[in-house]
Amino acid sequence: MKAPAEKELEIEPIGIPGVYEAGSPLLEATDFFFSSVNSSNSVGEYFDKISKGSEGFTDAQKLHYLQWLGKSLVGTSNYDMAAQNEHIKISEEEMFLALKDYLDGKEVRSGICGNIHTFMAKTAEKMGIEAWIQSGRGKKGKGHAFMGALAET
C-alpha cells in the first residue's frame, strides 16, 4: 500500500491589528463564518444563510469570511488525489459536509484546489462578490487552481 502524499499547502496567518477586538467588523465576519457553517444542515441552507447574512457586510468583511473559508477548506485537502494528479469532481454538498466535519475537529478528506476554489467562488457569488476560477502554477511549479475576486474596498 502506498503511503499518503505529504502535505504541501501552507497558509500563513494574516496579521491585521484590531481584528479580534470587541466590536471589530472583521470579528463579526469571523463569528458569522463559524455560525453560518455550524448552524446549516445542507449546502443549500448554508448558501441561503450566506446570501442573507452578509447583506450588510463591507467587502473587507466578505473577503475576511472567504479567508476563513479557504483556510478551513485547505484542512480538508485530499493529498492522495493531488499526488495522483487526478481531479475528481466533488459535489457542493460533499464539500460543505467535509467543511462542517473539519470544523467539528474530525479528520476528513474531500477535494483538491479546484474543488476548494470552486466552492469558495460560489460562496463569494452568494455574498455578492464577483469571483472566478483560474489556473496557474503554485509555489513548487505544479499546476494549481485559484479563486479570483473583485471587491470595491
Side-chain angles (χ1 to χ4, degrees):
M1 183 175 185
K2 186 177 173 184
E6 288 186 34
K7 184 176 179 182
E8 291 184 20
L9 300 175
E10 290 184 21
I11 293 182
E12 297 178 20
I14 298 172
I16 305 171
V19 169
Y20 297 106
E21 294 174 4
S24 162
L26 297 183
L27 179 59
E28 183 182 353
T30 300
D31 289 344
F32 180 58
F33 168 72
F34 288 102
S35 69
S36 63
V37 174
N38 291 331
S39 66
S40 298
N41 294 312
S42 69
V43 74
E45 189 177 337
Y46 167 75
F47 285 145
D48 188 49
K49 285 182 183 182
I50 295 307
S51 294
K52 293 175 183 167
S54 65
E55 283 178 350
F57 278 13
T58 65
D59 284 349
Q61 286 175 299
K62 292 174 184 179
L63 294 174
H64 190 72
Y65 182 102
L66 292 168
Q67 287 176 325
W68 271 106
L69 177 61
K71 181 178 180 176
S72 299
L73 286 172
V74 164
T76 72
S77 291
N78 186 332
Y79 296 102
D80 289 334
M81 188 189 305
Q84 295 165 7
N85 199 26
E86 179 180 18
H87 180 264
I88 298 170
K89 186 172 179 170
I90 307 292
S91 74
E92 291 172 349
E93 189 69 31
E94 289 172 292
M95 290 297 293
F96 172 73
L97 293 174
L99 171 65
K100 198 167 171 64
D101 285 346
Y102 175 78
L103 293 178
D104 282 340
K106 298 174 185 170
E107 187 170 326
V108 292
R109 296 290 167 244
S110 59
I112 56 176
C113 56
N115 308 107
I116 291 168
H117 291 284
T118 299
F119 191 85
M120 289 178 66
K122 177 86 178 250
T123 300
E125 289 171 354
K126 294 291 183 182
M127 297 175 114
I129 298 274
E130 183 179 346
W132 62 91
I133 304 299
Q134 60 194 48
S135 62
R137 298 269 176 220
K139 286 183 183 179
K140 297 186 179 185
K142 296 180 180 180
H144 188 60
F146 303 88
M147 182 199 91
L150 287 178
E152 292 183 27
T153 59

